[in-house]
Amino acid sequence: MTGPAGEALPTYPVLLGGVSVPGEGWVHWPRSSTMLHDTYDVLALKARLDHGRARPGDDTDPRLAGRVARSTPAQADTALSLARAAQPSWARVPLERRLAFVSAFHDLLRDRAEEFTAVLVAEGHPVRVAGWALAAALNLTHPGTLEHARSAMVWEGAQAGRRVRLVRKPDGVVCLDPARNAPLLTALAGVPTLGAGNALIVNAPPSVPLSVAYVFHTMVAPLLTRFEAPPGTLSMLCAPARPVLRTWLASPDCDDIFFFGGSRQGAELTRSCLEYGKKPVMELAGNDALVVWRDADLPQAAEAALERYQGSGQLCLAPKFTLVHPAVAQEFTALLRSRVEALRVGPPEDPDVVLTPVIKRAECQDVLDDAVAKGAELLCGGELVDVHSKPSRRGPFVRPVLLRVGDLRAAAQMRAVAEETFFPLMCVIAPQDTASDTPADDEGLLETFLAFVNANRYGLRNSLWARDPHVIERFTDEVTNGGVLKVNDSHIATLPVLPIIGGTGLSGGVFGEANIPFLRTTRLQGISIGTGAAEHFDHLATTTLPRLPPPQPGKGPSHPGPAHSPEHTGNREQAAAQELTDHLGI
């Protein structure tokens, strides 16, 4: 097949144990900008090719960006058995060598940055959003990140004449199901997962597989070969998620399921993981708070709030609502509104565009109607438009929505604030009923804001804009939900070492926390190495025995049983000592 100007169309077979093998047909991916301008013709072209009904010339249509092979259920089983066989050998490779593999990926990604972002744009990410994803991927594998991993993975010291180690051991075979809204960035969590010593199976989502296939075929797999990873260390499938997840759950060759998706699906999958003995690593929904205090840098805070609209709000770690100090609410809202109204739709190649087609357009209208019915004021946005910004009932874009509400209790009842909203909609909450006239009156309002943020059932990211050291300290000390807290900084920007994903509550499930893949896909093991000298057992003779309180006059024993019969009640310490020495075998 050929692409634009006669170039070979990028074609990615199934990657089974690091080897490219045929699948059962193809998923074809047209360039996203062509779908915006020629929607029905391009989708018809894709359907014909995907279902084996191609017309002459279809397979060389220049509107195509690439194709990815669909994997079979048998290939999913084979990938698991290959991974199980390969993983012990890969884990025996020294940590420094595996970290060097991750570092080599970082260097390759930096060298091929232009190509990387071009694939993301072809897949539908605006240029600016693709640039953000590139920066996040580079920070995920940055030398500083690897240095932190090195220190966290192994610690060694001396205690009581012994060498003591705390070592994180790989979980084994990790199966990763990326997010549909950001498949490549979420799939790249697999690179440090490999660096930790695990074998990896990635399932590229058939609804948007191109970028995942591109990176794992052209970058990750060749690097693993270069670093002499055993065959089977990496596989990449492309199949619907549900049957693949069922295969992973049922297989004894799967140890971890690394899942990106909705909170309800994540909760169900967590229960299944525990039932089947798998470790669940859940990356679920986000409903992030951005807080603006009275002394904030308001223009910068407004820019951070504007990040809500990156990718039309279809990023889990974007801010979803803003809590604003009443003293600056009017000025901040005006600044943000002017920026929101200036956003425009367009093809992803346009460097000024951040908005993308909205998947949940009907739900966006429902949430907007709910907020207005409960007292929110609609400041702008909400109309459906086409790529030329013309109103259209079938338009794929939603003009960015900005709402304002002046009551915290009312806001807490709105879906726009209480739930994750996956569309370009931001609610500014400026509680007039708790207004404070001077900074001296702010302590109560600060308590209210802290309580509101911590009451959020989700917990991915939160951010604060303030200058007062007391306010900053209170937030950093007392905000307990969320995997990341940013202060006076971009809400969505990433940094080396700082986790990109991970959170609490509905964002991460019962095991949720900030997610450093090196740590989340390993387990801690303590090791003590002695010389075998007899004195190493001396501590048993000096073990402090438990001392039980003497019997209280007039009170019987608190626990029935033989130990409290008359011949024992006067010798509780002796009985306890005997019990302990019996347990120790001495």
Side-chain angles (χ1 to χ4, degrees):
M1 297 184 71
T2 58
E7 296 175 2
L9 185 71
T11 296
Y12 305 106
V14 176
L15 193 62
L16 206 56
V19 177
S20 294
V21 299
E24 57 171 5
W26 300 93
V27 176
H28 293 77
W29 191 260
R31 298 181 185 281
S32 58
S33 57
T34 67
M35 286 191 281
L36 292 174
H37 289 97
D38 220 358
T39 305
Y40 299 107
D41 284 350
V42 173
L43 289 178
L45 167 68
K46 173 178 166 56
R48 291 195 301 271
L49 288 165
D50 286 357
H51 294 93
R53 300 192 298 267
R55 299 173 182 171
D58 278 355
D59 58 356
T60 58
D61 194 302
R63 293 174 293 184
L64 294 173
R67 62 177 184 169
V68 180
R70 294 195 299 265
S71 56
T72 68
Q75 288 171 332
D77 289 328
T78 300
L80 285 161
S81 60
L82 289 172
R84 178 61 77 207
Q87 191 272 329
S89 296
W90 177 237
R92 283 194 292 271
V93 172
L95 175 62
E96 285 300 324
R97 181 71 172 162
R98 289 186 267 115
L99 290 176
F101 152 74
V102 180
S103 179
F105 174 83
H106 175 87
D107 294 342
L108 182 61
L109 182 59
R110 188 182 56 215
D111 292 342
R112 294 170 62 174
E114 186 175 344
E115 182 179 294
F116 177 92
T117 54
V119 172
L120 284 175
V121 170
E123 199 171 58
H125 293 70
V127 171
R128 285 167 58 184
V129 179
W132 167 79
L134 172 65
L138 288 170
N139 285 327
L140 180 70
T141 55
H142 189 275
T145 303
L146 300 188
E147 184 58 36
H148 171 263
R150 180 181 289 105
S151 64
M153 294 285 284
V154 180
W155 179 90
E156 186 163 343
Q159 293 293 331
R162 298 157 184 81
R163 289 162 56 201
V164 174
R165 293 178 187 163
L166 297 178
V167 183
R168 299 200 69 89
K169 299 289 183 70
D171 287 339
V173 176
V174 176
C175 298
L176 193 156
D177 191 58
R180 276 60 184 160
N181 61 306
L184 179 53
L185 183 57
T186 52
L188 284 180
V191 174
T193 296
L194 286 164
N198 299 287
L200 177 70
I201 301 171
V202 177
N203 185 40
S207 57
V208 57
L210 186 65
S211 61
V212 175
Y214 156 74
V215 164
F216 280 88
H217 270 271
T218 69
M219 300 174 72
V220 181
L223 279 175
L224 283 171
T225 300
R226 174 179 144 194
F227 279 81
E228 300 178 337
T233 303
L234 172 68
S235 291
M236 194 210 74
L237 310 172
C238 180
R242 286 186 180 277
V244 171
L245 288 169
R246 285 195 292 268
T247 297
W248 291 347
L249 284 168
S251 173
D253 292 327
C254 169
D255 297 302
D256 294 7
I257 294 182
F258 201 148
F259 174 78
F260 292 81
S263 295
R264 182 179 59 81
Q265 298 95 320
E268 293 172 358
L269 182 56
T270 296
R271 286 192 290 269
S272 297
C273 284
L274 298 179
E275 178 183 351
Y276 285 92
K278 314 300 180 189
K279 178 178 177 178
V281 182
M282 298 289 113
E283 293 299 329
L284 309 175
N287 188 25
D288 296 8
L290 186 150
V291 178
V292 181
W293 202 242
R294 72 155 66 236
D295 59 351
D297 182 328
L298 295 184
Q300 289 293 316
E303 287 295 326
L306 194 68
E307 293 172 343
R308 166 61 173 134
Y309 302 96
Q310 292 263 12
S312 283
Q314 297 170 125
L315 295 175
C316 57
L317 48 72
K320 304 298 193 299
F321 62 91
T322 302
L323 278 174
V324 187
H325 193 292
V328 295
Q330 184 173 349
E331 183 181 356
F332 171 82
T333 305
L335 287 169
L336 180 57
R337 179 176 180 174
S338 66
R339 287 162 168 75
V340 173
E341 290 178 331
L343 294 173
R344 60 183 180 82
V345 302
E349 293 87 355
D350 187 330
D352 294 325
V353 165
V354 298
L355 299 172
T356 55
V358 177
I359 298 171
K360 300 180 179 181
R361 296 186 292 280
E363 186 178 344
C364 180
Q365 187 62 52
D366 290 344
V367 170
L368 173 55
D369 292 343
D370 171 79
V372 172
K374 291 174 179 174
E377 177 187 2
L378 174 61
L379 300 179
C380 63
E383 305 89 351
L384 296 180
V385 295
D386 64 17
V387 69
H388 305 293
S389 201
K390 294 180 180 178
S392 169
R393 287 185 300 173
R394 294 184 175 180
F397 296 92
V398 175
R399 282 202 176 122
V401 178
L402 184 63
L403 297 164
R404 178 173 57 196
V405 60
D407 180 79
L408 274 175
R409 293 181 183 83
Q413 303 304 313
M414 297 175 183
R415 293 178 61 192
V417 175
E419 300 177 7
E420 180 189 48
T421 51
F422 226 57
F423 23 81
L425 182 150
M426 166 72 83
C427 189
V428 174
I429 309 167
Q432 302 302 319
D433 54 332
T434 57
S436 54
D437 296 327
T438 68
D441 302 326
D442 279 345
E443 202 62 26
L445 183 62
L446 180 56
E447 294 282 353
T448 299
F449 275 24
L450 286 166
F452 196 90
V453 172
N454 279 330
N456 187 355
R457 297 180 301 152
Y458 301 78
L460 192 57
R461 288 186 169 215
N462 295 300
S463 61
L464 166 70
W465 286 84
R467 291 188 174 97
D468 186 339
H470 171 68
V471 173
I472 293 172
E473 184 176 1
R474 289 287 305 275
F475 263 80
T476 55
D477 285 352
E478 298 179 34
V479 170
T480 55
N481 77 340
V484 171
L485 173 60
K486 303 288 286 293
V487 178
N488 295 328
D489 197 2
S490 159
H491 189 97
I492 67 172
T494 61
L495 292 168
V497 182
L498 193 73
I500 297 173
I501 52 176
T504 56
L506 294 178
S507 292
V510 292
F511 304 109
E513 62 178 353
N515 189 331
I516 296 174
F518 276 105
L519 307 184
R520 292 299 301 276
T521 59
T522 57
R523 60 191 182 277
L524 184 65
Q525 185 181 73
I527 301 171
S528 171
I529 302 174
T531 64
E535 62 266 20
H536 287 175
F537 295 90
D538 290 347
H539 71 289
L540 295 176
T542 58
T543 298
T544 302
L545 301 179
R547 298 185 64 84
L548 301 179
Q552 298 296 314
K555 293 186 178 181
S558 57
H559 300 286
H564 298 285
S565 58
E567 64 269 28
H568 287 84
T569 52
N571 298 289
R572 294 189 180 189
E573 287 189 34
Q574 180 180 345
Q578 186 63 49
E579 181 180 354
L580 180 61
T581 53
D582 288 345
H583 175 73
L584 294 172
I586 57 176

